Amino acid sequence: MSLLKAIVEKMERGIPAGRLVEGLCWRDFEGFAAEIFSENGFAVRRNIRFTSERKRYEIDVVAFQ
């Protein structure tokens, strides 16, 4: 079962959304966010790395519609 489906089922049982995600590690939370975007028709890219003005950056989740 996907993390999104598991959380939706718990929400339907009345558990507040904030409590559902507070136990997730950062990697699971990123995956959860990416799954929400994907399920809603967005194209998703994760862990995009780039350099600008000699600094390295990473964007964890990007969603395109």
Side-chain angles (χ1 to χ4, degrees):
M1 175 184 299
S2 75
L3 182 57
L4 178 58
K5 288 180 183 178
I7 288 177
V8 167
E9 285 180 6
K10 290 177 183 178
M11 285 179 66
E12 289 171 347
R13 287 189 261 144
I15 298 172
R19 282 194 44 220
L20 296 172
V21 297
E22 66 186 13
L24 297 179
C25 70
W26 63 268
R27 187 168 301 183
D28 289 338
F29 186 79
E30 287 175 10
F32 175 61
E35 194 172 349
I36 289 172
F37 283 120
S38 182
E39 288 288 323
N40 285 283
F42 288 81
V44 177
R45 299 268 324 262
R46 295 186 63 189
N47 304 318
I48 298 173
R49 295 182 182 114
F50 62 96
T51 303
S52 176
E53 298 179 14
R54 298 184 206 183
K55 293 183 181 179
R56 295 185 67 192
Y57 298 92
E58 181 174 350
I59 300 174
D60 299 322
V61 178
V62 178
F64 304 91
Q65 188 171 31

